[in-house]
Amino acid sequence: MHGAAWWGVLFIALSVTGCAQPTSSDAPSSGNDSASSGYFTSVTEEAGLAAFRHTHGGFGDKWFPEIMGSGGGFVDYNNDGWLDVMLVGGGSLPSRRQQDTPALSLYRNDGDGSFTNVTGEVGLGTVRAYGFGSIAADYDNDGDQDLFVTTLRENLLFRNEGGVFEEVSQEAGIADVEQWSASAVFFDANRDGHLDLYVTNYVEWSPEQVLECINRGVRDYCNPRSYNGVADTYYENNGDGTFTNRTEAAGVLRGVEIDASKGLGVIALDYNEDDWPDLYVTNDGVPNLLFENNGDGTFRERALRSGVALDQRGTPRAGMGLDVGVVDSTGQPSLFVGNFSQESVSVWRHQREGLFMDRVTVSGLRFPTMKTLTFGLVLFDVDLDTDLDLLLANGNVIEQIAWLQDGVTFRQPTQLFLNRGDGTFDEAQDRLGPLADSLLARGLAYGDVDRDGDLDVLLTENNGPAHLWYNNLKERHFVRVHLQGTESNRDGIGTRLRATVDGLTMERRVRAGSSYLSQSEKTVTFGLGRTRPVSRLEVAWPSGRVEQFEQVAPNQDLLLVEGTGELVPADTRQPLAGR
């Protein structure tokens, strides 16, 4: 059964079995921040992030938004070359007693392994909203990173003014839709050099529309099928700091029934390689959506005909986080989607002419992911061996799940799957340290926090802490590329990079958004396996410009400014005032 239907069966079963006591596997994580595994070390406490707590606002009446959690991620808000951490706080539910929880908390990377909470000094300390997702990008092309936060009502846009943020959603024209929004992406849909914005909206919900669902005389969370879906929103960037709502004109509504859209995840991709960015949207219990860019400011929806709307049995799943990347030697992108327990993750690889093939069983991911409920999902080269690995952030939404499903727990460990190089995966069996912790994980992002060349991880928990894990890789060989657009958008979002090493070609793309409610770094990392140069590096910008470089030496952090034809050390970037 798909997630929504399965959830309904669980509630029926609850009325028979009653309430369960948590098992040992449902217990909270130990919180041992010095614990280490073969892959990661948790440094949350040492880094100064341990005081953060997400608040779901629950007060006993089981309001639906409480179970969804929030995201976070990485942003270099002061342009000093060190990744800072942003975390969405959740907050108070509407009409309830207000809790003093900032909508968004920002922690500055001090460059010595520690972070400082600068939420107040950067202008975010007084902002209150029930937040879900966050993404970062330079939407106004002025050289610094702006922030966008999705909420239960009016979404928030924070313009960066020299390291201090001003909330500008009203004047920017994106405060016109007041719905429960989830994930979002910045992308340049029309390739005019200005970042457009796509926002997923979930279901119709308000304190006036609260449904009361009872299981064995006890109030519980309602099934998502009980709520009507809400159409997503697409905004076109006008190039002057404002946006225009073009949801209907762009065809985002065309052919999509309103209730057939309960969006939780979205990612930009170019699956047909026509150089126009497409969009893939994951929905909860209704078919997923694939919007193909027509190249004229409009889209056409084609998920069903492409084979990525439903599972192999023609049933919709409960889609949450997602990522896309080239994981094998075919050069074709594969979509990975996190789903409900008893569904497994979804894996589709593009074959030809817009058609995708289901590869979850071939990939080796079906059975290891059947008992987990995956929210956050990212593809990145954790061991820098040239191929993209898979990390899943898991956590259930039903407290009594252990009584209803053998081997399924409420709190769940994070899963790391290592790519064999051909798009098939082996689950990492090392369960020491943070990989052994059981979490109620939601958001997941990666980035090189300590600037040692490998990629570190940030996770968020529902109604709980955030976790920062350093990558333990001892031998690192890599090339990292930071981009700065001139004709293209300033962040180079949508740029395709291909690096060839000893006849092997790796492909990466620059994105703002993906996973679940979260933002990974936008710098592109190529793992090299062993010490060897990149024989050829090709950078294809959204503007259409292509730049090529030969014999790029390993173990470098490089900056490419569009049109210069020169790779220079990334430390040449100038920090903003106030660092």
mmCIF file of all heavy atoms in Angstrom, residues 2-5 201-203 223-230 232 256-264 280-289 303-304 308-311 314-320 337 339 343 348:
data_model
loop_
_atom_site.group_PDB
_atom_site.id
_atom_site.type_symbol
_atom_site.label_atom_id
_atom_site.label_comp_id
_atom_site.label_asym_id
_atom_site.label_seq_id
_atom_site.Cartn_x
_atom_site.Cartn_y
_atom_site.Cartn_z
ATOM 1 N N HIS A 2 0.386 2.314 -0.614
ATOM 2 C CA HIS A 2 1.144 3.552 -0.550
ATOM 3 C C HIS A 2 0.984 4.157 0.824
ATOM 4 O O HIS A 2 0.180 3.731 1.638
ATOM 5 C CB HIS A 2 0.711 4.528 -1.652
ATOM 6 C CG HIS A 2 -0.712 4.968 -1.565
ATOM 7 N ND1 HIS A 2 -1.116 5.998 -0.745
ATOM 8 C CD2 HIS A 2 -1.817 4.526 -2.202
ATOM 9 C CE1 HIS A 2 -2.424 6.176 -0.886
ATOM 10 N NE2 HIS A 2 -2.867 5.291 -1.756
ATOM 11 N N GLY A 3 1.825 5.195 1.101
ATOM 12 C CA GLY A 3 1.908 5.719 2.453
ATOM 13 C C GLY A 3 0.587 6.136 3.036
ATOM 14 O O GLY A 3 0.266 5.807 4.186
ATOM 15 N N ALA A 4 -0.222 6.855 2.274
ATOM 16 C CA ALA A 4 -1.490 7.328 2.817
ATOM 17 C C ALA A 4 -2.406 6.166 3.161
ATOM 18 O O ALA A 4 -3.027 6.124 4.223
ATOM 19 C CB ALA A 4 -2.167 8.263 1.807
ATOM 20 N N ALA A 5 -2.489 5.173 2.256
ATOM 21 C CA ALA A 5 -3.351 4.023 2.521
ATOM 22 C C ALA A 5 -2.800 3.197 3.675
ATOM 23 O O ALA A 5 -3.538 2.716 4.530
ATOM 24 C CB ALA A 5 -3.462 3.153 1.268
ATOM 25 N N ASN A 201 3.308 23.260 -2.137
ATOM 26 C CA ASN A 201 2.286 23.454 -1.102
ATOM 27 C C ASN A 201 1.671 22.102 -0.777
ATOM 28 O O ASN A 201 1.487 21.258 -1.653
ATOM 29 C CB ASN A 201 1.224 24.437 -1.570
ATOM 30 C CG ASN A 201 1.807 25.815 -1.834
ATOM 31 O OD1 ASN A 201 2.630 26.320 -1.060
ATOM 32 N ND2 ASN A 201 1.422 26.440 -2.939
ATOM 33 N N TYR A 202 1.325 21.904 0.497
ATOM 34 C CA TYR A 202 0.950 20.571 0.965
ATOM 35 C C TYR A 202 -0.569 20.385 0.963
ATOM 36 O O TYR A 202 -1.144 20.013 -0.059
ATOM 37 C CB TYR A 202 1.571 20.340 2.343
ATOM 38 C CG TYR A 202 1.452 18.930 2.874
ATOM 39 C CD1 TYR A 202 1.508 17.814 2.035
ATOM 40 C CD2 TYR A 202 1.300 18.712 4.232
ATOM 41 C CE1 TYR A 202 1.412 16.526 2.534
ATOM 42 C CE2 TYR A 202 1.210 17.427 4.757
ATOM 43 C CZ TYR A 202 1.264 16.340 3.903
ATOM 44 O OH TYR A 202 1.161 15.069 4.408
ATOM 45 N N VAL A 203 -1.233 20.645 2.069
ATOM 46 C CA VAL A 203 -2.676 20.417 2.159
ATOM 47 C C VAL A 203 -3.363 21.620 2.783
ATOM 48 O O VAL A 203 -2.727 22.483 3.382
ATOM 49 C CB VAL A 203 -2.994 19.155 3.011
ATOM 50 C CG1 VAL A 203 -2.426 17.905 2.372
ATOM 51 C CG2 VAL A 203 -2.491 19.329 4.444
ATOM 52 N N ASN A 223 -5.161 10.921 8.949
ATOM 53 C CA ASN A 223 -4.567 10.479 7.703
ATOM 54 C C ASN A 223 -4.487 11.655 6.718
ATOM 55 O O ASN A 223 -5.434 12.435 6.598
ATOM 56 C CB ASN A 223 -5.479 9.381 7.128
ATOM 57 C CG ASN A 223 -4.854 8.660 5.967
ATOM 58 O OD1 ASN A 223 -4.352 9.284 5.050
ATOM 59 N ND2 ASN A 223 -4.913 7.346 5.997
ATOM 60 N N PRO A 224 -3.364 11.805 5.982
ATOM 61 C CA PRO A 224 -3.272 12.882 4.994
ATOM 62 C C PRO A 224 -4.386 12.849 3.950
ATOM 63 O O PRO A 224 -4.739 13.892 3.381
ATOM 64 C CB PRO A 224 -1.904 12.651 4.347
ATOM 65 C CG PRO A 224 -1.126 11.916 5.367
ATOM 66 C CD PRO A 224 -2.118 11.050 6.090
ATOM 67 N N ARG A 225 -4.962 11.658 3.706
ATOM 68 C CA ARG A 225 -6.055 11.565 2.731
ATOM 69 C C ARG A 225 -7.287 12.341 3.188
ATOM 70 O O ARG A 225 -8.176 12.620 2.385
ATOM 71 C CB ARG A 225 -6.426 10.104 2.509
ATOM 72 C CG ARG A 225 -5.381 9.287 1.764
ATOM 73 C CD ARG A 225 -5.856 7.872 1.554
ATOM 74 N NE ARG A 225 -6.173 7.205 2.819
ATOM 75 C CZ ARG A 225 -6.794 6.041 2.904
ATOM 76 N NH1 ARG A 225 -7.186 5.428 1.799
ATOM 77 N NH2 ARG A 225 -7.024 5.488 4.080
ATOM 78 N N SER A 226 -7.337 12.667 4.475
ATOM 79 C CA SER A 226 -8.492 13.394 4.994
ATOM 80 C C SER A 226 -8.500 14.859 4.577
ATOM 81 O O SER A 226 -9.508 15.549 4.733
ATOM 82 C CB SER A 226 -8.505 13.310 6.531
ATOM 83 O OG SER A 226 -8.500 11.967 6.968
ATOM 84 N N TYR A 227 -7.369 15.331 4.046
ATOM 85 C CA TYR A 227 -7.240 16.746 3.718
ATOM 86 C C TYR A 227 -7.149 16.938 2.201
ATOM 87 O O TYR A 227 -6.589 16.107 1.485
ATOM 88 C CB TYR A 227 -5.983 17.331 4.366
ATOM 89 C CG TYR A 227 -6.010 17.298 5.873
ATOM 90 C CD1 TYR A 227 -5.475 16.219 6.576
ATOM 91 C CD2 TYR A 227 -6.571 18.343 6.608
ATOM 92 C CE1 TYR A 227 -5.486 16.177 7.960
ATOM 93 C CE2 TYR A 227 -6.588 18.315 7.994
ATOM 94 C CZ TYR A 227 -6.048 17.228 8.656
ATOM 95 O OH TYR A 227 -6.062 17.190 10.033
ATOM 96 N N ASN A 228 -7.672 18.057 1.728
ATOM 97 C CA ASN A 228 -7.545 18.414 0.324
ATOM 98 C C ASN A 228 -6.133 18.903 0.027
ATOM 99 O O ASN A 228 -5.505 19.572 0.842
ATOM 100 C CB ASN A 228 -8.544 19.520 -0.044
ATOM 101 C CG ASN A 228 -9.975 19.048 0.045
ATOM 102 O OD1 ASN A 228 -10.285 17.894 -0.250
ATOM 103 N ND2 ASN A 228 -10.873 19.936 0.454
ATOM 104 N N GLY A 229 -5.650 18.580 -1.161
ATOM 105 C CA GLY A 229 -4.348 19.066 -1.582
ATOM 106 C C GLY A 229 -4.399 20.523 -2.001
ATOM 107 O O GLY A 229 -5.471 21.109 -2.191
ATOM 108 N N VAL A 230 -3.220 21.116 -2.144
ATOM 109 C CA VAL A 230 -3.090 22.524 -2.526
ATOM 110 C C VAL A 230 -2.119 22.626 -3.698
ATOM 111 O O VAL A 230 -1.053 22.001 -3.681
ATOM 112 C CB VAL A 230 -2.574 23.376 -1.347
ATOM 113 C CG1 VAL A 230 -2.435 24.836 -1.763
ATOM 114 C CG2 VAL A 230 -3.507 23.251 -0.149
ATOM 115 N N ASP A 232 0.798 23.883 -6.112
ATOM 116 C CA ASP A 232 2.074 24.544 -5.882
ATOM 117 C C ASP A 232 2.069 25.938 -6.496
ATOM 118 O O ASP A 232 1.128 26.317 -7.213
ATOM 119 C CB ASP A 232 3.207 23.710 -6.478
ATOM 120 C CG ASP A 232 3.336 22.343 -5.817
ATOM 121 O OD1 ASP A 232 2.843 22.189 -4.684
ATOM 122 O OD2 ASP A 232 3.916 21.443 -6.442
ATOM 123 N N VAL A 256 -3.262 19.280 -13.967
ATOM 124 C CA VAL A 256 -3.050 18.786 -12.611
ATOM 125 C C VAL A 256 -4.256 19.148 -11.764
ATOM 126 O O VAL A 256 -4.536 20.321 -11.533
ATOM 127 C CB VAL A 256 -1.779 19.399 -11.981
ATOM 128 C CG1 VAL A 256 -1.598 18.880 -10.550
ATOM 129 C CG2 VAL A 256 -0.563 19.086 -12.829
ATOM 130 N N GLU A 257 -5.007 18.148 -11.344
ATOM 131 C CA GLU A 257 -6.131 18.417 -10.458
ATOM 132 C C GLU A 257 -5.611 18.954 -9.127
ATOM 133 O O GLU A 257 -4.560 18.547 -8.649
ATOM 134 C CB GLU A 257 -6.932 17.137 -10.214
ATOM 135 C CG GLU A 257 -7.576 16.575 -11.468
ATOM 136 C CD GLU A 257 -8.356 15.308 -11.169
ATOM 137 O OE1 GLU A 257 -8.521 14.999 -9.979
ATOM 138 O OE2 GLU A 257 -8.790 14.643 -12.121
ATOM 139 N N ILE A 258 -6.342 19.881 -8.544
ATOM 140 C CA ILE A 258 -5.889 20.518 -7.315
ATOM 141 C C ILE A 258 -5.595 19.479 -6.242
ATOM 142 O O ILE A 258 -4.565 19.523 -5.567
ATOM 143 C CB ILE A 258 -6.941 21.520 -6.810
ATOM 144 C CG1 ILE A 258 -7.112 22.653 -7.828
ATOM 145 C CG2 ILE A 258 -6.529 22.091 -5.455
ATOM 146 C CD1 ILE A 258 -5.862 23.452 -8.097
ATOM 147 N N ASP A 259 -6.460 18.497 -6.075
ATOM 148 C CA ASP A 259 -6.245 17.518 -5.015
ATOM 149 C C ASP A 259 -5.164 16.509 -5.388
ATOM 150 O O ASP A 259 -4.801 15.655 -4.587
ATOM 151 C CB ASP A 259 -7.552 16.779 -4.678
ATOM 152 C CG ASP A 259 -7.462 16.068 -3.334
ATOM 153 O OD1 ASP A 259 -6.965 16.698 -2.384
ATOM 154 O OD2 ASP A 259 -7.855 14.901 -3.252
ATOM 155 N N ALA A 260 -4.653 16.578 -6.616
ATOM 156 C CA ALA A 260 -3.576 15.691 -7.032
ATOM 157 C C ALA A 260 -2.218 16.331 -6.775
ATOM 158 O O ALA A 260 -1.218 15.933 -7.346
ATOM 159 C CB ALA A 260 -3.713 15.344 -8.509
ATOM 160 N N SER A 261 -2.177 17.324 -5.923
ATOM 161 C CA SER A 261 -0.923 17.986 -5.594
ATOM 162 C C SER A 261 -0.848 18.172 -4.089
ATOM 163 O O SER A 261 -1.533 19.017 -3.518
ATOM 164 C CB SER A 261 -0.845 19.340 -6.310
ATOM 165 O OG SER A 261 0.384 19.971 -6.056
ATOM 166 N N LYS A 262 -0.025 17.351 -3.441
ATOM 167 C CA LYS A 262 0.256 17.478 -2.005
ATOM 168 C C LYS A 262 1.766 17.450 -1.861
ATOM 169 O O LYS A 262 2.367 16.499 -1.381
ATOM 170 C CB LYS A 262 -0.411 16.340 -1.222
ATOM 171 C CG LYS A 262 -1.935 16.358 -1.286
ATOM 172 C CD LYS A 262 -2.559 15.226 -0.479
ATOM 173 C CE LYS A 262 -4.082 15.295 -0.543
ATOM 174 N NZ LYS A 262 -4.734 14.208 0.240
ATOM 175 N N GLY A 263 2.385 18.543 -2.330
ATOM 176 C CA GLY A 263 3.829 18.573 -2.503
ATOM 177 C C GLY A 263 4.617 18.640 -1.213
ATOM 178 O O GLY A 263 4.309 19.428 -0.318
ATOM 179 N N LEU A 264 5.682 17.821 -1.136
ATOM 180 C CA LEU A 264 6.615 17.865 -0.012
ATOM 181 C C LEU A 264 8.063 18.042 -0.462
ATOM 182 O O LEU A 264 8.894 18.497 0.312
ATOM 183 C CB LEU A 264 6.505 16.581 0.822
ATOM 184 C CG LEU A 264 5.236 16.442 1.674
ATOM 185 C CD1 LEU A 264 5.210 15.093 2.374
ATOM 186 C CD2 LEU A 264 5.128 17.570 2.695
ATOM 187 N N TYR A 280 10.928 18.201 -10.856
ATOM 188 C CA TYR A 280 10.278 16.981 -10.379
ATOM 189 C C TYR A 280 9.766 17.243 -8.972
ATOM 190 O O TYR A 280 10.503 17.749 -8.115
ATOM 191 C CB TYR A 280 11.250 15.810 -10.384
ATOM 192 C CG TYR A 280 10.606 14.492 -9.990
ATOM 193 C CD1 TYR A 280 9.631 13.913 -10.790
ATOM 194 C CD2 TYR A 280 10.977 13.834 -8.825
ATOM 195 C CE1 TYR A 280 9.031 12.712 -10.451
ATOM 196 C CE2 TYR A 280 10.385 12.623 -8.470
ATOM 197 C CZ TYR A 280 9.419 12.072 -9.284
ATOM 198 O OH TYR A 280 8.822 10.880 -8.938
ATOM 199 N N VAL A 281 8.481 16.911 -8.728
ATOM 200 C CA VAL A 281 7.819 17.201 -7.458
ATOM 201 C C VAL A 281 7.334 15.898 -6.841
ATOM 202 O O VAL A 281 6.651 15.103 -7.501
ATOM 203 C CB VAL A 281 6.621 18.153 -7.664
ATOM 204 C CG1 VAL A 281 5.923 18.433 -6.332
ATOM 205 C CG2 VAL A 281 7.080 19.461 -8.308
ATOM 206 N N THR A 282 7.681 15.661 -5.571
ATOM 207 C CA THR A 282 7.175 14.491 -4.856
ATOM 208 C C THR A 282 5.956 14.880 -4.038
ATOM 209 O O THR A 282 5.948 15.900 -3.345
ATOM 210 C CB THR A 282 8.250 13.905 -3.932
ATOM 211 O OG1 THR A 282 8.713 14.905 -3.021
ATOM 212 C CG2 THR A 282 9.416 13.378 -4.737
ATOM 213 N N ASN A 283 4.920 14.052 -4.123
ATOM 214 C CA ASN A 283 3.658 14.290 -3.427
ATOM 215 C C ASN A 283 3.378 13.187 -2.412
ATOM 216 O O ASN A 283 3.898 12.077 -2.513
ATOM 217 C CB ASN A 283 2.499 14.368 -4.431
ATOM 218 C CG ASN A 283 2.539 15.633 -5.265
ATOM 219 O OD1 ASN A 283 2.715 16.729 -4.736
ATOM 220 N ND2 ASN A 283 2.387 15.492 -6.570
ATOM 221 N N ASP A 284 2.520 13.504 -1.453
ATOM 222 C CA ASP A 284 2.196 12.574 -0.375
ATOM 223 C C ASP A 284 0.904 11.823 -0.677
ATOM 224 O O ASP A 284 -0.191 12.355 -0.521
ATOM 225 C CB ASP A 284 2.060 13.347 0.947
ATOM 226 C CG ASP A 284 1.918 12.435 2.146
ATOM 227 O OD1 ASP A 284 1.975 11.202 1.977
ATOM 228 O OD2 ASP A 284 1.748 12.947 3.267
ATOM 229 N N GLY A 285 1.043 10.570 -1.164
ATOM 230 C CA GLY A 285 -0.119 9.726 -1.383
ATOM 231 C C GLY A 285 -0.872 9.992 -2.658
ATOM 232 O O GLY A 285 -1.907 9.366 -2.912
ATOM 233 N N VAL A 286 -0.386 10.905 -3.499
ATOM 234 C CA VAL A 286 -0.956 11.147 -4.827
ATOM 235 C C VAL A 286 0.209 11.141 -5.816
ATOM 236 O O VAL A 286 1.367 11.257 -5.425
ATOM 237 C CB VAL A 286 -1.737 12.480 -4.890
ATOM 238 C CG1 VAL A 286 -2.954 12.426 -3.993
ATOM 239 C CG2 VAL A 286 -0.853 13.665 -4.514
ATOM 240 N N PRO A 287 -0.049 10.986 -7.117
ATOM 241 C CA PRO A 287 1.040 10.847 -8.081
ATOM 242 C C PRO A 287 2.032 12.004 -8.048
ATOM 243 O O PRO A 287 1.649 13.167 -7.873
ATOM 244 C CB PRO A 287 0.306 10.784 -9.429
ATOM 245 C CG PRO A 287 -1.042 10.241 -9.092
ATOM 246 C CD PRO A 287 -1.379 10.819 -7.750
ATOM 247 N N ASN A 288 3.309 11.675 -8.219
ATOM 248 C CA ASN A 288 4.344 12.694 -8.339
ATOM 249 C C ASN A 288 4.203 13.419 -9.680
ATOM 250 O O ASN A 288 3.516 12.947 -10.589
ATOM 251 C CB ASN A 288 5.729 12.063 -8.212
ATOM 252 C CG ASN A 288 5.942 11.427 -6.855
ATOM 253 O OD1 ASN A 288 5.402 11.885 -5.846
ATOM 254 N ND2 ASN A 288 6.740 10.369 -6.817
ATOM 255 N N LEU A 289 4.886 14.552 -9.789
ATOM 256 C CA LEU A 289 4.751 15.403 -10.970
ATOM 257 C C LEU A 289 6.116 15.641 -11.609
ATOM 258 O O LEU A 289 7.110 15.831 -10.911
ATOM 259 C CB LEU A 289 4.139 16.755 -10.593
ATOM 260 C CG LEU A 289 2.768 16.704 -9.895
ATOM 261 C CD1 LEU A 289 2.386 18.091 -9.379
ATOM 262 C CD2 LEU A 289 1.697 16.175 -10.837
ATOM 263 N N ALA A 303 4.718 13.264 -15.859
ATOM 264 C CA ALA A 303 5.228 12.226 -14.959
ATOM 265 C C ALA A 303 4.673 10.854 -15.292
ATOM 266 O O ALA A 303 5.410 9.853 -15.275
ATOM 267 C CB ALA A 303 4.915 12.583 -13.510
ATOM 268 N N LEU A 304 3.373 10.763 -15.580
ATOM 269 C CA LEU A 304 2.757 9.463 -15.841
ATOM 270 C C LEU A 304 3.337 8.819 -17.084
ATOM 271 O O LEU A 304 3.713 7.639 -17.076
ATOM 272 C CB LEU A 304 1.243 9.622 -15.969
ATOM 273 C CG LEU A 304 0.440 8.317 -15.998
ATOM 274 C CD1 LEU A 304 0.660 7.521 -14.715
ATOM 275 C CD2 LEU A 304 -1.041 8.609 -16.195
ATOM 276 N N VAL A 308 7.417 8.080 -13.783
ATOM 277 C CA VAL A 308 7.902 8.479 -12.459
ATOM 278 C C VAL A 308 6.788 9.024 -11.578
ATOM 279 O O VAL A 308 7.051 9.665 -10.561
ATOM 280 C CB VAL A 308 9.038 9.515 -12.581
ATOM 281 C CG1 VAL A 308 10.260 8.894 -13.231
ATOM 282 C CG2 VAL A 308 8.574 10.752 -13.358
ATOM 283 N N ALA A 309 5.538 8.765 -11.938
ATOM 284 C CA ALA A 309 4.415 9.242 -11.143
ATOM 285 C C ALA A 309 4.012 8.256 -10.062
ATOM 286 O O ALA A 309 3.596 8.654 -8.964
ATOM 287 C CB ALA A 309 3.218 9.539 -12.039
ATOM 288 N N LEU A 310 4.137 6.945 -10.354
ATOM 289 C CA LEU A 310 3.608 5.889 -9.500
ATOM 290 C C LEU A 310 4.653 4.796 -9.321
ATOM 291 O O LEU A 310 5.687 4.784 -9.992
ATOM 292 C CB LEU A 310 2.348 5.297 -10.147
ATOM 293 C CG LEU A 310 1.247 6.281 -10.540
ATOM 294 C CD1 LEU A 310 0.245 5.606 -11.463
ATOM 295 C CD2 LEU A 310 0.554 6.832 -9.296
ATOM 296 N N ASP A 311 4.357 3.851 -8.418
ATOM 297 C CA ASP A 311 5.271 2.728 -8.265
ATOM 298 C C ASP A 311 4.984 1.671 -9.336
ATOM 299 O O ASP A 311 4.137 1.870 -10.223
ATOM 300 C CB ASP A 311 5.203 2.154 -6.844
ATOM 301 C CG ASP A 311 3.869 1.474 -6.526
ATOM 302 O OD1 ASP A 311 3.062 1.228 -7.451
ATOM 303 O OD2 ASP A 311 3.623 1.195 -5.345
ATOM 304 N N GLY A 314 1.444 0.754 -10.072
ATOM 305 C CA GLY A 314 0.530 1.823 -10.439
ATOM 306 C C GLY A 314 -0.092 2.529 -9.251
ATOM 307 O O GLY A 314 -1.162 3.123 -9.366
ATOM 308 N N THR A 315 0.597 2.484 -8.107
ATOM 309 C CA THR A 315 0.080 3.071 -6.879
ATOM 310 C C THR A 315 0.930 4.262 -6.470
ATOM 311 O O THR A 315 2.167 4.178 -6.496
ATOM 312 C CB THR A 315 0.107 2.026 -5.739
ATOM 313 O OG1 THR A 315 -0.615 0.871 -6.156
ATOM 314 C CG2 THR A 315 -0.508 2.582 -4.468
ATOM 315 N N PRO A 316 0.327 5.369 -6.078
ATOM 316 C CA PRO A 316 1.125 6.498 -5.592
ATOM 317 C C PRO A 316 1.729 6.197 -4.233
ATOM 318 O O PRO A 316 1.173 5.435 -3.442
ATOM 319 C CB PRO A 316 0.115 7.642 -5.517
ATOM 320 C CG PRO A 316 -1.204 6.972 -5.347
ATOM 321 C CD PRO A 316 -1.118 5.681 -6.103
ATOM 322 N N ARG A 317 2.880 6.788 -3.966
ATOM 323 C CA ARG A 317 3.558 6.603 -2.693
ATOM 324 C C ARG A 317 3.548 7.913 -1.905
ATOM 325 O O ARG A 317 3.073 8.937 -2.383
ATOM 326 C CB ARG A 317 4.999 6.141 -2.919
ATOM 327 C CG ARG A 317 5.102 4.740 -3.495
ATOM 328 C CD ARG A 317 6.548 4.326 -3.672
ATOM 329 N NE ARG A 317 6.645 2.923 -4.079
ATOM 330 C CZ ARG A 317 7.794 2.296 -4.306
ATOM 331 N NH1 ARG A 317 8.937 2.932 -4.182
ATOM 332 N NH2 ARG A 317 7.799 1.032 -4.656
ATOM 333 N N ALA A 318 4.100 7.843 -0.699
ATOM 334 C CA ALA A 318 4.212 9.034 0.147
ATOM 335 C C ALA A 318 5.598 9.626 -0.040
ATOM 336 O O ALA A 318 6.530 9.296 0.686
ATOM 337 C CB ALA A 318 3.970 8.674 1.612
ATOM 338 N N GLY A 319 5.763 10.457 -1.059
ATOM 339 C CA GLY A 319 7.077 10.996 -1.397
ATOM 340 C C GLY A 319 7.465 12.171 -0.527
ATOM 341 O O GLY A 319 6.683 13.094 -0.323
ATOM 342 N N MET A 320 8.696 12.133 -0.022
ATOM 343 C CA MET A 320 9.232 13.244 0.771
ATOM 344 C C MET A 320 10.490 13.807 0.097
ATOM 345 O O MET A 320 10.423 14.409 -0.942
ATOM 346 C CB MET A 320 9.508 12.777 2.207
ATOM 347 C CG MET A 320 8.319 12.851 3.140
ATOM 348 S SD MET A 320 7.156 11.480 2.961
ATOM 349 C CE MET A 320 8.035 10.129 3.727
ATOM 350 N N VAL A 337 13.921 8.930 -4.384
ATOM 351 C CA VAL A 337 12.858 9.546 -3.588
ATOM 352 C C VAL A 337 12.683 8.775 -2.286
ATOM 353 O O VAL A 337 12.610 7.537 -2.287
ATOM 354 C CB VAL A 337 11.516 9.559 -4.359
ATOM 355 C CG1 VAL A 337 10.413 10.177 -3.501
ATOM 356 C CG2 VAL A 337 11.659 10.330 -5.667
ATOM 357 N N ASN A 339 10.384 7.530 0.782
ATOM 358 C CA ASN A 339 8.968 7.206 0.923
ATOM 359 C C ASN A 339 8.657 6.668 2.321
ATOM 360 O O ASN A 339 9.530 6.581 3.187
ATOM 361 C CB ASN A 339 8.559 6.169 -0.128
ATOM 362 C CG ASN A 339 8.708 6.686 -1.543
ATOM 363 O OD1 ASN A 339 8.183 7.733 -1.882
ATOM 364 N ND2 ASN A 339 9.447 5.963 -2.369
ATOM 365 N N GLU A 343 7.312 0.865 1.819
ATOM 366 C CA GLU A 343 7.313 1.264 0.407
ATOM 367 C C GLU A 343 8.709 1.187 -0.210
ATOM 368 O O GLU A 343 8.835 1.030 -1.410
ATOM 369 C CB GLU A 343 6.779 2.692 0.255
ATOM 370 C CG GLU A 343 5.316 2.825 0.569
ATOM 371 C CD GLU A 343 4.795 4.250 0.389
ATOM 372 O OE1 GLU A 343 5.600 5.198 0.418
ATOM 373 O OE2 GLU A 343 3.580 4.407 0.225
ATOM 374 N N TRP A 348 14.528 5.737 -10.140
ATOM 375 C CA TRP A 348 14.244 5.689 -11.574
ATOM 376 C C TRP A 348 15.442 6.255 -12.338
ATOM 377 O O TRP A 348 15.951 7.327 -11.997
ATOM 378 C CB TRP A 348 13.016 6.529 -11.936
ATOM 379 C CG TRP A 348 11.710 6.034 -11.423
ATOM 380 C CD1 TRP A 348 10.973 4.994 -11.885
ATOM 381 C CD2 TRP A 348 10.933 6.594 -10.340
ATOM 382 N NE1 TRP A 348 9.794 4.860 -11.182
ATOM 383 C CE2 TRP A 348 9.743 5.834 -10.230
ATOM 384 C CE3 TRP A 348 11.124 7.669 -9.472
ATOM 385 C CZ2 TRP A 348 8.770 6.111 -9.286
ATOM 386 C CZ3 TRP A 348 10.161 7.946 -8.517
ATOM 387 C CH2 TRP A 348 8.995 7.171 -8.430
#
